[in-house]
Amino acid sequence: MFQVVTRFPPSPTGHLHLGGARTALFNWLFARHYQGKFILRFEDTDQERSKPEYVTSILEALKWLGLDWDEGPYFQSQRLELYHQFAQRLLEEGKAYYCECSKELLEEKKKKRLELGLKPGYDKTCRDKNLGPGEGRALRIITPDIGDIVVEDLLRGRIIFSADEIDDFIILRSDKTPTYQFAVVVDDITMKITHVIRGDDHLSNTPKQILIYKALGVNPPFFAHIPMVLGSDGARLSKRHGARSVLEYREEGYLPYALINYLARLGWGYGDEEYFSVKELIEKFSLERINLAPARFDSDKLLAVNTYWIKNSPSEVLLEHLLPFLKDYSIFRFSKEYLILAIETIKSRTKTLKEMAEMLHFYLVEEIDYEENSARKYLTKAIGPYLERFFLDLKDLSLEEQELESYFKNLAQTSGIKLKDLAQAIRVALTGKSVSPGLFEIIKVLGKERVEKRLKKALEFIKNL
RNA sequence: GCCCCCAUCGUCUAGUGGACCAGGAUACUGGCCUCUCACGCCAGAGACACGGGUUCGAAUCCCGUUGGGGGCGCCA
């Protein structure tokens, strides 16, 4: 039976950003859709730039997103022996050779060739020198001088590269570490990867890798080059725009599955549908529906998707995701029921978990503080008597929203003051702010005891005006 | 400089030769709802890059131009 095997191979030279996360997501969705395997491997052969803390943060980001892997994480730095074996084979079969050109010399040659209007690639100086291994010598693969190299891309069809576009590139550096091109191929072979789904910035590399497969006598996997994610200005993602770590989105209060929903829709569409649960994505994802044009990251749309999921997720689920944002409150003092009812009242009024936590504030503190302007505007001498009225009536009132509503409408009508003014005053008394969830919902959730206490404080405040 | 990829509203997209004077989402504008703020609902404005073909017919197929992106490392 044929089993799909995909992989996500980040290099730990930075945090996981949106582009990388989307690549991981597409590979993961594809594997899950076909009940295949998803492998994680770190491409850390660049010893200069690879940092263990990036490994940690990438792992954490993937876990947060829920992109679980079936194998790995592998580290290329721990597989050096393997690359040497494969390289040795190529050397013995006369498909690779040592090159003694120094970096400086190559740099110079490249400059000259560019000036002459030639291709910048290596000029094959050492190809026939028959050099053995030695200090400062890198191993190059012999590439064909003429002919075409054909890349079959699952999304774009057949792409043809001319052999003279490809030089004898290095597969083993002079320090014996493998280059990217070589390590990926060896890894993808040994890990039995069936589908390579990656950014189309790798498209130009693919013929090189195909040549390695050929030299090794192995059939290449299927390739699918997906369009890249661009910043909002259309330039390549960099620190400036969306290249922030996905963990930053966690800090800002995005739901992981909202981010996934957004990322999936970036370059992929399914009819007119906009919102997908992760489960639906696994069911519906297919490579054929991927767009070929690069997609720009749009923070407004991301926020809208997050807003949608906050509004449409069960409050129990939201509570879980909210916990880290509620660290400053003694939420253990409240029942889960209370917290969930409170969340119910703010779900459709917030865009992020962070905002949610802020809006939850008045539910979670013993004593509220008044916003200065709101208190001045609404907690007036004139409104005092009506607050007192409510305070006195409260103990006999039902807290059902319907009944509260008719109580207040009645009170407003019989006393000739506007419901709006009354409502705003009580709102400030109960929440400290002039903006909050519906008044009747709040009263019901807070309960008589808290409401009484806060009204008392408001009456006190008015008395001292 | 050379090579490769791509091209529908500002953005993400639907659209695979006729059902498209181009649909949805988001953002924007106006209105409704209303105890505040939101949600929601209704309405409006907004795109097939350009030029040639092919065809009875093209957003859809072909070519060119332009524009955007990527690659040409002892980075990945």
Side-chain angles (χ1 to χ4, degrees), chain A residues 91-145:
Chain A
L91 185 65
E92 281 165 9
E93 291 171 9
K95 294 169 176 168
Y97 60 90
Y98 279 103
C99 167
E100 61 179 350
C101 300
S102 69
K103 285 182 196 173
E104 295 72 27
L105 179 64
L106 291 170
E107 199 48 49
E108 232 174 89
K109 282 181 175 176
K110 181 175 162 186
K111 239 171 98 182
K112 263 190 204 146
R113 290 174 67 84
L114 278 172
E115 278 166 15
L116 290 168
L118 296 169
K119 295 176 178 51
Y122 181 61
D123 63 5
K124 300 169 188 166
T125 308
C126 299
R127 193 192 263 194
D128 300 316
K129 284 189 186 166
N130 226 305
L131 262 21
E135 189 70 17
R137 289 178 183 175
L139 191 66
R140 288 182 186 272
I141 188 168
I142 295 180
T143 60
D145 298 322

Side-chain angles (χ1 to χ4, degrees), chain A residues 192-225:
Chain A
K192 301 188 164 54
I193 304 299
T194 60
H195 296 256
V196 171
I197 302 168
R198 66 199 349 177
D200 66 14
D201 50 333
H202 287 283
L203 193 49
S204 307
N205 287 324
T206 309
K208 288 188 179 176
Q209 290 164 211
I210 284 180
L211 289 175
I212 299 177
Y213 279 103
K214 242 181 208 164
L216 255 18
V218 177
N219 282 126
F222 294 108
F223 293 103
H225 289 92

Side-chain angles (χ1 to χ4, degrees), chain A residues 356-369:
Chain A
M356 261 187 140
E358 283 162 18
M359 198 171 281
L360 242 21
H361 177 82
F362 74 90
Y363 281 120
L364 305 177
V365 289
E366 259 326 294
E367 190 158 340
I368 53 162
D369 295 314

